[in-house]
């Protein structure tokens, strides 16, 4: 399948990009139907959520698979086959980190969501798109899907499948257009449905 989205200029992220990626994810997911309500105090949401995004973004840089546009206007955070989103130590400390950032109730709710997402992961080794975001200042330019197309071209060169979770129903059609198909549905405590999606190896 040929992607309808032309790849955009991209490069591998480095530790110097962490602040930029966290800023991009914080704005990109501020109103997300899953991750927005996960931090119910909108006045503090940006700061609270940024603590979580920083943990995941920093941890993912263990692998050479986080791709960014030249100015980090958009970022795609991939976990390669056999990898994990967090180290064992980071995962053990996740609830404490979230409690410090946003309180015990928020922390418990997010850990529950994380456990649900983890339980739905496919057993087959695959590339996992854990985060894809575009900074609010650069939305509408095709950067997110262009960056996804660039990433998928690299993954296709390796003959590997890919997996993601669509927390926003409006993105499902976009993901389908680049070869993903709905695989499962996860209903979280708020009633919101997350759709998991699979793209076979090319």
């Amino acid at each position: 399948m040929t992607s309808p989205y032309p790849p955009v200029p991209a490069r591998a992220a480095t530790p110097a990009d962490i602040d930029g990626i966290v800023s991009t994810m914080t704005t990109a997911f501020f109103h997300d139907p899953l991750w927005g309500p996960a931090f119910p105090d909108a006045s503090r949401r940006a700061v609270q959520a940024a603590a979580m995004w920083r943990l995941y973004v920093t941890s993912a840089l263990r692998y050479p698979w986080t791709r960014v546009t030249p100015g980090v206007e958009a970022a795609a955070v991939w976990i390669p086959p056999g990898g994990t989103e967090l180290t064992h130590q980071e995962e053990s400390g996740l609830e404490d980190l979230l409690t410090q950032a946003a309180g015990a109730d928020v922390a418990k709710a997010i850990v529950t969501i994380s456990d649900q997402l983890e339980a739905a992961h496919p057993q087959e080794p695959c590339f996992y798109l854990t985060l894809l975001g575009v900074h609010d200042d650069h939305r509408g330019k095709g950067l997110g899907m262009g960056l996804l197309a660039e990433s998928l071209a690299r993954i296709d060169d390796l003959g590997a499948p890919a997996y993601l979770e669509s927390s926003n129903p409006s993105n499902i059609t976009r993901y389908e257009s680049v070869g993903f198909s709905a695989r499962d549905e996860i209903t979280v405590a708020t009633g919101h449905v997350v759709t998991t999606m699979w793209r076979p190896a090319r």
Side-chain angles (χ1 to χ4, degrees):
M1 172 183 288
T2 301
S3 171
Y5 302 97
V8 298
R11 59 180 175 80
T14 72
D17 296 313
I18 290 173
D19 286 348
I21 299 172
V22 171
S23 177
T24 289
M25 296 305 170
T26 300
T27 66
F29 287 94
F30 191 89
H31 296 293
D32 182 81
L34 173 67
W35 295 114
F39 297 93
D41 185 349
S43 68
R44 301 178 61 204
R45 181 181 298 161
V47 173
Q48 293 174 347
M52 182 176 73
W53 301 136
R54 183 172 297 276
L55 174 67
Y56 280 91
V57 167
T58 302
S59 188
L61 288 181
R62 309 191 316 274
Y63 310 111
W65 275 95
T66 295
R67 305 292 293 174
V68 294
T69 53
V72 200
E73 301 89 350
V77 181
W78 291 91
I79 306 299
T84 59
E85 284 188 278
L86 301 175
T87 66
H88 178 72
Q89 183 177 3
E90 288 166 341
E91 188 171 353
S92 297
L94 176 61
E95 186 167 347
D96 285 344
L97 180 146
L98 291 169
T99 298
Q100 292 176 11
D105 290 344
V106 170
K108 290 182 184 302
I110 292 177
V111 167
T112 297
I113 292 171
S114 297
D115 288 345
Q116 288 181 270
L117 299 181
E118 177 65 27
H121 272 228
Q123 294 300 309
E124 180 179 347
C126 60
F127 279 88
Y128 169 39
L129 181 62
T130 178
L131 292 169
L132 175 67
V134 179
H135 196 285
D136 273 356
D137 293 344
H138 299 279
R139 293 175 67 86
K141 302 176 182 178
L143 295 178
M145 293 305 296
L147 188 59
L148 178 57
E150 191 270 350
S151 299
L152 290 174
R154 290 173 173 271
I155 291 169
D156 287 346
D157 285 344
L158 299 175
Y163 172 79
L164 61 80
E165 299 132 353
S166 180
S167 58
N168 191 333
S170 66
N171 290 330
I172 292 175
T173 301
R174 296 187 181 97
Y175 294 139
E176 289 176 337
S177 72
V178 294
F180 285 91
S181 298
R183 181 176 181 271
D184 198 2
E185 291 185 344
I186 303 166
T187 303
V188 301
T190 62
H192 179 68
V193 175
V194 177
T195 301
T196 68
M197 307 192 75
W198 179 261
R199 185 178 187 269
R202 296 294 191 269

